[in-house]
Every structure is written in structure tokens, then in C-alpha cells.
Coordinates of all heavy atoms in Angstrom, one line a residue:
M55 N 95.2 70.5 101.2 CA 95.9 71.1 102.3 C 95.1 72.4 102.7 O 94.8 73.2 101.9 CB 97.3 71.4 101.9 CG 98.2 71.8 103.1 SD 99.9 72.1 102.7 CE 100.5 70.4 102.4
K56 N 94.9 72.6 104.0 CA 94.2 73.8 104.5 C 95.1 75.0 104.3 O 96.3 74.9 104.5 CB 93.8 73.6 105.9 CG 92.7 72.7 106.2 CD 92.2 72.7 107.6 CE 91.0 71.9 107.8 NZ 90.5 72.0 109.2
K57 N 94.5 76.1 104.1 CA 95.2 77.4 103.9 C 95.1 78.2 105.2 O 94.1 78.2 105.8 CB 94.7 78.2 102.8 CG 94.8 77.5 101.4 CD 94.2 78.3 100.3 CE 94.4 77.6 99.0 NZ 93.9 78.4 97.9
I58 N 96.2 78.9 105.5 CA 96.2 79.8 106.7 C 96.9 81.1 106.3 O 97.8 81.1 105.5 CB 96.9 79.2 108.0 CG1 98.3 78.8 107.7 CG2 96.1 78.1 108.5 CD1 99.1 78.4 109.0
L59 N 96.4 82.2 106.8 CA 97.1 83.5 106.6 C 98.1 83.7 107.6 O 97.9 83.4 108.8 CB 96.0 84.6 106.7 CG 94.9 84.7 105.7 CD1 94.0 85.8 106.0 CD2 95.4 84.8 104.3
V60 N 99.3 84.1 107.2 CA 100.4 84.4 108.2 C 101.0 85.7 107.8 O 101.3 86.0 106.6 CB 101.5 83.3 108.1 CG1 102.7 83.6 109.0 CG2 100.9 81.9 108.5
S61 N 101.3 86.5 108.8 CA 101.9 87.8 108.6 C 103.3 87.6 108.0 O 104.1 86.7 108.5 CB 102.0 88.5 109.9 OG 102.7 89.8 109.7
K62 N 103.7 88.3 107.0 CA 105.0 88.2 106.3 C 106.1 88.3 107.3 O 107.2 87.7 107.1 CB 105.1 89.2 105.2 CG 104.2 88.8 104.0 CD 104.4 89.9 102.9 CE 103.5 89.6 101.7 NZ 103.6 90.7 100.7
C63 N 106.0 89.2 108.3 CA 107.1 89.5 109.2 C 107.4 88.2 110.0 O 108.6 88.0 110.4 CB 106.8 90.7 110.1 SG 105.4 90.5 111.2
L64 N 106.4 87.4 110.3 CA 106.6 86.1 111.0 C 107.4 85.1 110.2 O 107.9 84.1 110.7 CB 105.3 85.6 111.5 CG 104.6 86.4 112.6 CD1 103.3 85.8 112.9 CD2 105.5 86.5 113.9
L65 N 107.3 85.3 108.8 CA 108.0 84.4 107.9 C 109.4 84.9 107.6 O 110.1 84.3 106.7 CB 107.2 84.3 106.6 CG 105.8 83.6 106.8 CD1 105.0 83.7 105.6 CD2 105.9 82.2 107.3
G66 N 109.8 86.0 108.2 CA 111.2 86.5 108.0 C 111.3 87.6 107.0 O 112.4 88.0 106.6
I67 N 110.2 88.1 106.5 CA 110.2 89.2 105.5 C 110.3 90.5 106.2 O 109.5 90.8 107.1 CB 109.0 89.1 104.6 CG1 109.0 87.8 103.8 CG2 108.9 90.3 103.6 CD1 107.8 87.4 103.1
N68 N 111.2 91.4 105.8 CA 111.4 92.7 106.5 C 110.3 93.7 106.1 O 110.4 94.5 105.1 CB 112.7 93.3 106.1 CG 113.9 92.4 106.7 OD1 113.7 91.8 107.7 ND2 115.0 92.4 106.0
C69 N 109.2 93.6 106.8 CA 108.0 94.5 106.5 C 107.4 95.2 107.7 O 106.5 95.9 107.6 CB 106.9 93.7 105.7 SG 106.2 92.3 106.6
R70 N 108.1 95.0 108.9 CA 107.6 95.6 110.1 C 107.8 97.1 110.0 O 108.5 97.6 109.2 CB 108.3 95.1 111.3 CG 107.9 93.7 111.7 CD 108.6 93.2 112.9 NE 108.0 93.9 114.1 CZ 108.8 94.2 115.2 NH1 110.0 93.8 115.3 NH2 108.2 94.8 116.2
Y71 N 107.1 97.9 110.8 CA 107.2 99.3 110.8 C 108.6 99.9 110.8 O 108.9 100.9 110.2 CB 106.3 100.0 111.9 CG 106.9 99.8 113.3 CD1 107.7 100.9 113.8 CD2 106.7 98.7 114.1 CE1 108.3 100.8 115.0 CE2 107.3 98.6 115.3 CZ 108.1 99.6 115.8 OH 108.6 99.5 117.0
K72 N 109.5 99.2 111.5 CA 110.9 99.7 111.6 C 111.8 99.0 110.6 O 113.0 99.2 110.6 CB 111.4 99.6 113.0 CG 111.4 98.2 113.6 CD 111.8 98.3 115.1 CE 111.7 96.9 115.7 NZ 112.2 96.9 117.1
G73 N 111.2 98.3 109.6 CA 112.0 97.7 108.5 C 112.6 96.4 108.8 O 113.4 95.9 108.0
D74 N 112.3 95.8 109.9 CA 112.9 94.4 110.2 C 111.8 93.4 110.2 O 110.7 93.6 109.7 CB 113.6 94.5 111.6 CG 112.6 94.7 112.7 OD1 111.5 95.1 112.5 OD2 113.1 94.6 113.9
N75 N 112.0 92.2 110.7 CA 111.1 91.2 110.8 C 111.1 90.5 112.2 O 111.9 90.9 113.0 CB 111.3 90.1 109.7 CG 112.6 89.3 110.0 OD1 112.7 88.5 110.9 ND2 113.6 89.6 109.2
C76 N 110.2 89.7 112.5 CA 110.2 88.9 113.8 C 109.9 87.4 113.4 O 109.0 86.8 113.9 CB 109.1 89.5 114.7 SG 107.5 89.7 114.0
K77 N 110.8 86.9 112.6 CA 110.7 85.5 112.1 C 110.5 84.6 113.3 O 111.2 84.6 114.3 CB 112.0 85.1 111.4 CG 111.8 83.8 110.7 CD 113.1 83.4 109.9 CE 112.9 82.1 109.3 NZ 114.1 81.7 108.5
S78 N 109.6 83.7 113.1 CA 109.3 82.6 114.0 C 109.5 81.3 113.4 O 108.7 80.9 112.4 CB 107.8 82.7 114.6 OG 107.4 81.6 115.2
D79 N 110.4 80.5 113.9 CA 110.6 79.2 113.3 C 109.4 78.3 113.4 O 109.1 77.5 112.6 CB 111.9 78.5 113.9 CG 113.2 79.2 113.5 OD1 113.2 79.8 112.4 OD2 114.1 79.1 114.3
A80 N 108.7 78.5 114.6 CA 107.5 77.7 114.8 C 106.4 78.0 113.8 O 105.7 77.1 113.3 CB 107.0 77.9 116.2
V81 N 106.3 79.3 113.4 CA 105.3 79.7 112.4 C 105.7 79.2 111.1 O 104.9 78.7 110.3 CB 105.1 81.2 112.4 CG1 104.2 81.6 111.3 CG2 104.5 81.6 113.8
C82 N 107.0 79.3 110.7 CA 107.5 78.8 109.4 C 107.3 77.3 109.3 O 106.9 76.9 108.2 CB 109.0 79.2 109.3 SG 109.3 80.9 109.1
A83 N 107.4 76.6 110.4 CA 107.2 75.1 110.3 C 105.7 74.8 110.0 O 105.5 73.6 109.6 CB 107.6 74.5 111.7
L84 N 104.8 75.7 110.2 CA 103.4 75.4 109.9 C 103.3 75.1 108.4 O 102.3 74.5 108.0 CB 102.5 76.6 110.3 CG 102.4 76.8 111.7 CD1 101.6 78.1 112.0 CD2 101.7 75.7 112.4
G85 N 104.2 75.5 107.6 CA 104.2 75.3 106.2 C 104.3 73.8 105.8 O 104.0 73.4 104.7
E86 N 104.7 73.0 106.8 CA 104.7 71.5 106.6 C 103.3 70.9 106.6 O 103.1 69.9 106.0 CB 105.6 70.9 107.6 CG 107.0 71.3 107.5 CD 107.9 70.8 108.7 OE1 107.4 69.9 109.4 OE2 109.0 71.3 108.9
K87 N 102.4 71.6 107.3 CA 101.0 71.0 107.5 C 100.0 71.9 106.7 O 98.9 71.4 106.5 CB 100.6 71.0 108.9 CG 101.4 70.0 109.8 CD 100.8 70.0 111.2 CE 101.5 68.9 112.0 NZ 101.0 68.9 113.4
Y88 N 100.3 73.1 106.4 CA 99.3 74.1 105.8 C 99.9 74.8 104.6 O 101.1 74.9 104.5 CB 98.9 75.1 106.9 CG 98.3 74.6 108.1 CD1 99.1 74.3 109.2 CD2 97.0 74.2 108.2 CE1 98.5 73.8 110.4 CE2 96.4 73.7 109.3 CZ 97.2 73.5 110.4 OH 96.6 73.0 111.6
D89 N 99.0 75.2 103.8 CA 99.4 76.1 102.7 C 99.4 77.5 103.2 O 98.3 78.0 103.5 CB 98.4 75.9 101.5 CG 98.8 76.7 100.3 OD1 99.9 77.2 100.2 OD2 97.9 76.9 99.4
I90 N 100.6 78.1 103.4 CA 100.7 79.4 104.0 C 100.5 80.5 103.0 O 101.1 80.5 101.9 CB 102.1 79.6 104.7 CG1 102.2 78.7 105.9 CG2 102.3 81.1 105.1 CD1 103.5 78.7 106.6
I91 N 99.6 81.4 103.3 CA 99.4 82.6 102.5 C 99.9 83.8 103.2 O 99.4 84.2 104.2 CB 97.9 82.8 102.2 CG1 97.3 81.6 101.5 CG2 97.6 84.1 101.4 CD1 95.8 81.6 101.4
P92 N 101.1 84.3 102.8 CA 101.7 85.4 103.4 C 101.0 86.8 103.2 O 100.7 87.0 102.0 CB 103.2 85.4 102.9 CG 103.1 84.7 101.6 CD 101.9 83.8 101.7
I93 N 100.8 87.5 104.2 CA 100.2 88.8 104.1 C 100.9 89.9 104.9 O 101.5 89.6 105.9 CB 98.7 88.8 104.4 CG1 98.5 88.5 105.9 CG2 97.9 87.8 103.6 CD1 97.1 88.8 106.5
C94 N 100.8 91.1 104.5 CA 101.2 92.3 105.2 C 100.2 93.4 105.0 O 100.2 94.1 104.0 CB 102.6 92.8 104.9 SG 103.1 94.2 105.9
P95 N 99.1 93.4 105.9 CA 98.1 94.4 105.6 C 98.6 95.9 105.5 O 98.1 96.7 104.8 CB 97.2 94.3 106.9 CG 97.4 92.9 107.3 CD 98.9 92.6 107.0
E96 N 99.7 96.2 106.3 CA 100.2 97.5 106.2 C 100.8 97.8 104.8 O 100.5 98.8 104.2 CB 101.3 97.7 107.2 CG 100.8 97.7 108.7 CD 100.8 96.3 109.3 OE1 100.9 95.3 108.5 OE2 100.6 96.2 110.5
Q97 N 101.6 96.9 104.3 CA 102.2 97.1 102.9 C 101.1 97.0 101.9 O 101.0 97.8 100.9 CB 103.3 96.1 102.6 CG 104.6 96.5 103.3 CD 105.7 95.6 102.9 OE1 105.5 94.4 102.5 NE2 106.9 96.0 103.1
D98 N 100.1 96.1 102.1 CA 99.0 95.9 101.1 C 98.1 97.1 101.1 O 97.4 97.4 100.2 CB 98.2 94.6 101.4 CG 99.0 93.4 101.1 OD1 100.1 93.5 100.4 OD2 98.7 92.3 101.6
G99 N 98.1 97.9 102.2 CA 97.4 99.1 102.3 C 98.2 100.3 101.8 O 97.7 101.4 102.0
V100 N 99.3 100.0 101.2 CA 100.2 101.0 100.6 C 100.9 101.9 101.6 O 101.1 103.1 101.3 CB 99.5 101.8 99.5 CG1 100.5 102.5 98.6 CG2 98.6 100.9 98.6
L101 N 101.2 101.4 102.8 CA 102.0 102.1 103.7 C 103.5 101.7 103.4 O 103.8 100.6 103.0 CB 101.7 101.8 105.2 CG 100.3 102.3 105.6 CD1 99.9 101.7 107.0 CD2 100.4 103.8 105.7
S102 N 104.4 102.6 103.7 CA 105.8 102.4 103.4 C 106.4 101.5 104.5 O 105.9 101.4 105.6 CB 106.5 103.7 103.2 OG 106.5 104.4 104.5
T103 N 107.6 101.0 104.2 CA 108.4 100.3 105.1 C 109.8 100.9 105.0 O 110.4 100.8 103.9 CB 108.5 98.8 104.9 OG1 107.1 98.3 104.9 CG2 109.3 98.1 105.9
P104 N 110.4 101.4 106.0 CA 109.8 101.6 107.4 C 108.7 102.7 107.4 O 108.6 103.4 106.4 CB 111.0 102.0 108.2 CG 112.0 102.6 107.3 CD 111.7 102.0 105.9
R105 N 108.0 102.8 108.5 CA 106.9 103.7 108.6 C 106.8 104.0 110.1 O 107.3 103.3 111.0 CB 105.6 103.1 108.1 CG 105.2 101.9 108.8 CD 104.0 101.2 108.1 NE 103.9 99.8 108.6 CZ 104.5 98.8 108.1 NH1 105.3 98.9 107.0 NH2 104.4 97.6 108.6
D106 N 106.1 105.1 110.4 CA 105.8 105.4 111.8 C 104.9 104.3 112.4 O 104.0 103.8 111.7 CB 105.0 106.7 112.0 CG 105.9 107.9 111.6 OD1 107.1 107.8 111.8 OD2 105.3 109.0 111.2
P107 N 105.1 103.9 113.7 CA 104.2 103.0 114.3 C 102.8 103.6 114.4 O 102.7 104.8 114.4 CB 104.8 102.7 115.7 CG 105.8 103.8 115.9 CD 106.2 104.3 114.6
A108 N 101.8 102.8 114.5 CA 100.4 103.3 114.5 C 99.6 102.4 115.5 O 100.0 101.3 115.8 CB 99.8 103.2 113.1
E109 N 98.6 103.0 116.0 CA 97.7 102.3 116.9 C 96.3 102.8 116.8 O 96.0 103.9 116.3 CB 98.2 102.4 118.4 CG 98.1 103.8 118.9 CD 98.6 103.8 120.4 OE1 99.5 103.0 120.8 OE2 98.2 104.8 121.1
I110 N 95.4 101.9 117.2 CA 93.9 102.3 117.2 C 93.7 103.3 118.3 O 94.0 103.1 119.4 CB 93.0 101.0 117.3 CG1 93.3 100.1 116.2 CG2 91.6 101.4 117.4 CD1 92.6 98.7 116.3
Q111 N 93.0 104.4 117.9 CA 92.6 105.4 118.9 C 91.2 105.7 118.6 O 90.8 106.4 117.6 CB 93.5 106.6 118.7 CG 94.9 106.4 119.1 CD 95.8 107.7 119.0 OE1 95.3 108.7 118.6 NE2 97.1 107.5 119.2
G112 N 90.3 105.2 119.4 CA 88.8 105.3 119.1 C 88.5 104.5 117.9 O 88.7 103.3 117.9
N113 N 87.9 105.2 116.9 CA 87.5 104.5 115.7 C 88.5 104.8 114.5 O 88.1 104.6 113.4 CB 86.1 104.8 115.3 CG 85.9 106.3 115.0 OD1 86.8 107.1 115.2 ND2 84.7 106.7 114.5
K114 N 89.7 105.3 114.8 CA 90.7 105.6 113.8 C 92.0 104.9 114.1 O 92.2 104.4 115.3 CB 91.0 107.1 113.8 CG 89.8 107.9 113.3 CD 90.2 109.4 113.2 CE 89.0 110.2 112.8 NZ 89.3 111.6 112.6
V115 N 92.9 104.7 113.1 CA 94.2 104.3 113.3 C 95.1 105.5 113.1 O 95.1 106.1 112.0 CB 94.6 103.1 112.3 CG1 96.0 102.6 112.6 CG2 93.6 102.0 112.5
M116 N 95.9 105.8 114.1 CA 96.7 107.0 114.0 C 98.2 106.6 114.2 O 98.6 105.8 115.0 CB 96.3 108.0 115.2 CG 94.9 108.4 115.1 SD 94.4 109.4 113.7 CE 95.4 110.9 113.9
S117 N 99.0 107.3 113.3 CA 100.5 107.0 113.4 C 101.0 107.9 114.6 O 100.4 108.8 115.1 CB 101.2 107.4 112.1 OG 101.2 108.8 112.0
S118 N 102.2 107.5 115.0 CA 102.8 108.2 116.1 C 103.1 109.7 115.8 O 103.3 110.5 116.7 CB 104.1 107.5 116.6 OG 105.1 107.5 115.5
S119 N 103.1 110.0 114.5 CA 103.4 111.4 114.1 C 102.0 112.2 113.9 O 102.0 113.3 113.5 CB 104.1 111.5 112.8 OG 103.4 110.9 111.7
G120 N 100.9 111.5 114.2 CA 99.6 112.1 114.2 C 98.8 112.0 112.9 O 97.8 112.6 112.7
K121 N 99.4 111.2 112.0 CA 98.7 111.0 110.7 C 97.6 110.0 110.8 O 97.8 108.9 111.4 CB 99.7 110.6 109.6 CG 99.0 110.4 108.2 CD 100.1 110.1 107.2 CE 99.4 109.8 105.9 NZ 100.2 109.2 104.9
D122 N 96.4 110.2 110.3 CA 95.3 109.3 110.2 C 95.6 108.3 109.1 O 95.6 108.6 107.9 CB 94.0 110.0 110.0 CG 92.8 109.1 110.0 OD1 93.0 107.8 110.0 OD2 91.7 109.6 110.1
V123 N 95.9 107.0 109.5 CA 96.2 106.0 108.5 C 95.1 104.9 108.4 O 95.3 103.8 108.0 CB 97.6 105.4 108.7 CG1 98.7 106.4 108.4 CG2 97.7 104.8 110.2
T124 N 93.9 105.3 108.9 CA 92.8 104.4 108.9 C 92.5 103.8 107.6 O 92.3 102.6 107.4 CB 91.5 105.1 109.5 OG1 91.8 105.7 110.8 CG2 90.3 104.1 109.6
E125 N 92.4 104.7 106.5 CA 92.1 104.2 105.2 C 93.1 103.2 104.7 O 92.7 102.2 104.1 CB 92.1 105.4 104.2 CG 91.7 105.0 102.8 CD 91.6 106.2 101.9 OE1 91.2 107.3 102.3 OE2 92.0 106.1 100.7
E126 N 94.4 103.4 105.0 CA 95.4 102.4 104.5 C 95.2 101.1 105.2 O 95.4 100.0 104.6 CB 96.8 103.0 104.8 CG 97.2 104.2 103.9 CD 96.7 105.5 104.4 OE1 95.9 105.6 105.3 OE2 97.2 106.5 103.9
Y127 N 95.0 101.1 106.5 CA 94.8 99.9 107.3 C 93.5 99.1 106.8 O 93.5 97.9 106.7 CB 94.7 100.1 108.8 CG 96.1 100.1 109.4 CD1 96.9 101.2 109.3 CD2 96.6 99.0 110.1 CE1 98.2 101.2 109.9 CE2 97.9 99.0 110.6 CZ 98.7 100.1 110.5 OH 99.9 100.1 111.1
E128 N 92.5 99.8 106.5 CA 91.3 99.2 106.0 C 91.5 98.6 104.6 O 91.0 97.5 104.3 CB 90.1 100.2 106.0 CG 89.6 100.6 107.4 CD 88.5 101.6 107.4 OE1 88.3 102.3 106.4 OE2 87.9 101.8 108.5
R129 N 92.2 99.3 103.8 CA 92.5 98.8 102.4 C 93.3 97.5 102.6 O 93.1 96.5 101.9 CB 93.3 99.8 101.6 CG 93.7 99.4 100.2 CD 94.6 100.3 99.4 NE 94.0 101.7 99.4 CZ 94.6 102.8 99.9 NH1 95.8 102.7 100.4 NH2 94.0 103.9 99.8
G130 N 94.3 97.5 103.4 CA 95.1 96.3 103.6 C 94.3 95.1 104.2 O 94.5 94.0 103.8
A131 N 93.4 95.4 105.1 CA 92.5 94.4 105.6 C 91.6 93.8 104.5 O 91.4 92.6 104.4 CB 91.7 94.9 106.8
R132 N 91.1 94.7 103.7 CA 90.2 94.2 102.6 C 91.1 93.3 101.6 O 90.6 92.2 101.2 CB 89.6 95.4 101.8 CG 88.5 96.0 102.5 CD 87.7 97.0 101.6 NE 88.5 98.0 101.1 CZ 88.8 99.2 101.7 NH1 88.3 99.4 102.9 NH2 89.6 100.1 101.1
R133 N 92.3 93.7 101.3 CA 93.1 92.9 100.4 C 93.4 91.5 101.1 O 93.5 90.5 100.4 CB 94.4 93.6 100.1 CG 94.1 94.8 99.1 CD 95.3 95.4 98.6 NE 95.0 96.5 97.6 CZ 95.8 97.3 97.2 NH1 97.1 97.3 97.6 NH2 95.4 98.2 96.3
A134 N 93.6 91.5 102.4 CA 93.9 90.2 103.1 C 92.7 89.3 102.9 O 92.9 88.1 102.8 CB 94.2 90.5 104.5
L135 N 91.5 89.8 103.0 CA 90.3 89.0 102.9 C 90.1 88.5 101.5 O 89.5 87.4 101.3 CB 89.1 89.8 103.2 CG 88.9 90.2 104.7 CD1 87.7 91.1 104.9 CD2 88.7 88.9 105.5
E136 N 90.6 89.2 100.5 CA 90.5 88.7 99.1 C 91.3 87.5 98.9 O 91.1 86.6 98.1 CB 91.0 89.8 98.1 CG 90.1 91.0 98.0 CD 90.7 92.1 97.2 OE1 91.8 92.0 96.7 OE2 90.1 93.2 97.1

């Protein structure tokens, strides 16, 4: 069975920045055809839940409170690749 990475929040796990999820029944149904590997780069990068929202600004990821969280996002991305 092919493997696919799926964000944990789409599987109903409360890991979004505001502590909720955005479960998608269509995404969950993919488990019938694929081996789903759940990931949350933010949590895997050791960011808390809930947390300030963040966005890419230039070559950095900055939280809404002005904290540079680039390192945490990069750590989470590396763990997702593992």
C-alpha cells in the first residue's frame, strides 16, 4: 500500500495553532486506499498548541507576536521528511 503524509489536523487531531482541528472526512477516507502517516510539523518542531499564528515573511517564519519561529518550522519539516 502506498504511503501518504497527512496533516494531523485534517485527521481530527487538535493540533492547529488555536488548539482545534479541521477534520476532513474525505481526507480520512484516503486511509482505505493508502497507508496514512500523520504529521504536524509545528508540534514536531516543538511549538506548543495552542500557539500564535505564524507566516512566512521574507526568509523567516514569524509569529503574530513577532517571535522568529523559523528554526522550529525547519525542525518540524526535517522530522516530516524522516
Side-chain angles (χ1 to χ4, degrees):
M55 188 176 291
K56 288 187 176 184
K57 297 179 182 184
I58 59 172
L59 297 177
V60 175
S61 180
K62 289 179 181 179
C63 63
L64 293 173
L65 298 172
I67 297 168
N68 294 331
C69 61
R70 289 182 68 210
Y71 73 94
K72 56 186 177 176
D74 65 350
N75 68 72
C76 51
K77 184 177 181 181
S78 167
D79 292 333
V81 172
C82 290
L84 292 173
E86 296 172 16
K87 292 183 177 182
Y88 301 95
D89 183 13
I90 292 177
I91 300 170
I93 63 164
C94 179
E96 293 88 347
Q97 286 185 336
D98 292 342
V100 194
L101 290 169
S102 65
T103 301
R105 61 190 163 272
D106 290 334
E109 63 181 28
I110 297 171
Q111 296 180 2
N113 62 351
K114 294 183 179 185
V115 181
M116 301 297 292
S117 74
S118 61
S119 64
K121 181 180 178 191
D122 183 348
V123 290
T124 305
E125 182 178 323
E126 290 87 344
Y127 273 80
E128 288 177 348
R129 181 184 306 122
R132 283 192 302 274
R133 288 187 178 168
L135 288 173
E136 291 173 2

